[in-house]
Amino acid sequence: MSQTISRTEIEDFLYYEARLLDDRQFEEWLECYREDAEYWMPAWDVDDTLTQDPQQEISLIYYPTRAGLEDRVFRIRTERSSATSIPEPRTNHNITNVEILERRDGEVDIRFNWISYYFRYNHTDHYFGTTFLTLDTSGEKLRIAKKKIVLKNDYIHHVVDIYQV
C-alpha cells in the first residue's frame, strides 16, 4: 500500500474489521492490528472530559500492544473468565462520517463515527461514539497502529467488551 490510499480503501478496511467482530472471527480480526498496536478506550472523568493518560488514569479498555487483545480473545474463546459470552451475543456495527485527518509517510490518521447494537438475553443495547485510528499503510495490507475509541454513552448496563465497540 502507499500514502495515496483512497478513502474507499480505508472505508473497505473499516467495514471488514467491523464485519469480523460481528461474525465473531476474532482471530482474523487480530490480524488487522500490528504487533505494537495500542488499543484504548478512555473513560469520562467527573468533569465530563476524557481521561488523557492510560498509564495513570482509568480507562474502560486499554491494551498497550496487540498481545492484550490476543489475551482477551483467548479468554472469550476458552470460557476462562467472565468475558465468556454464552449465549453468544449478536452485534452489528455501523460506520459513518469517515474523515482522513492526516497523511504521513506510511501512515494515515482517520476518525469516524459508529453505532453498534448488542443483543443478548432477549435485550438489545446500543453503543455509539467516535474512533480515532492510525492506519499503517507501509505493508502489503493495511494494519491498525493505534486505535482510540471514545464511547459516548452516558450509562452502560454492563462491562463493555471489544466486540461491542
Side-chain angles (χ1 to χ4, degrees):
M1 301 239 98
S2 70
Q3 188 172 354
T4 60
I5 185 170
S6 71
R7 174 187 309 278
T8 301
E9 290 171 304
I10 291 169
E11 289 172 342
D12 286 348
F13 176 80
L14 297 175
Y15 300 149
Y16 172 70
E17 183 205 8
R19 178 176 58 81
L20 292 174
L21 287 172
D22 290 340
D23 292 348
R24 299 184 67 79
Q25 294 178 291
F26 299 127
E27 292 76 14
E28 292 88 347
W29 173 77
L30 288 168
E31 293 302 314
C32 294
Y33 290 80
R34 283 191 338 201
E35 294 286 332
D36 64 342
E38 179 183 69
Y39 186 99
W40 180 35
M41 187 164 51
W44 293 97
D45 69 15
V46 293
D47 297 321
D48 201 30
T49 58
L50 289 171
T51 56
Q52 299 297 309
D53 184 350
Q55 301 292 334
Q56 298 187 22
E57 297 176 284
I58 194 165
S59 297
L60 297 175
I61 300 175
Y62 177 67
Y63 297 115
T65 66
R66 188 174 90 180
L69 293 172
E70 291 168 352
D71 179 65
R72 191 79 190 137
V73 168
F74 174 79
R75 288 185 282 143
I76 291 168
R77 291 286 197 215
T78 59
E79 302 177 21
R80 294 187 180 197
S81 78
S82 60
T84 301
S85 298
I86 296 175
E88 287 194 353
R90 289 178 280 193
T91 61
N92 190 324
H93 292 76
N94 296 280
I95 296 170
T96 187
N97 297 67
V98 177
E99 296 178 68
I100 298 171
L101 301 177
E102 184 178 348
R103 294 178 186 266
R104 293 180 301 284
D105 188 33
E107 290 186 336
V108 176
D109 292 335
I110 63 169
R111 79 174 270 165
F112 60 91
N113 295 332
W114 54 269
I115 187 167
S116 65
Y117 296 93
Y118 169 84
F119 177 82
R120 189 170 181 209
Y121 299 124
N122 295 321
H123 182 76
T124 301
D125 286 319
H126 66 277
Y127 303 93
F128 65 102
T130 301
T131 294
F132 298 87
L133 202 68
T134 298
L135 286 177
D136 180 343
T137 62
S138 65
E140 289 183 26
K141 296 185 340 183
L142 292 174
R143 299 252 188 232
I144 297 169
K146 187 174 185 177
K147 187 172 192 175
K148 177 182 174 184
I149 303 161
V150 178
L151 178 65
K152 294 185 178 176
N153 293 57
D154 283 342
Y155 298 99
I156 52 178
H157 303 291
H158 44 75
V159 175
V160 177
D161 211 329
I162 58 173
Y163 48 80
Q164 294 165 297
V165 294

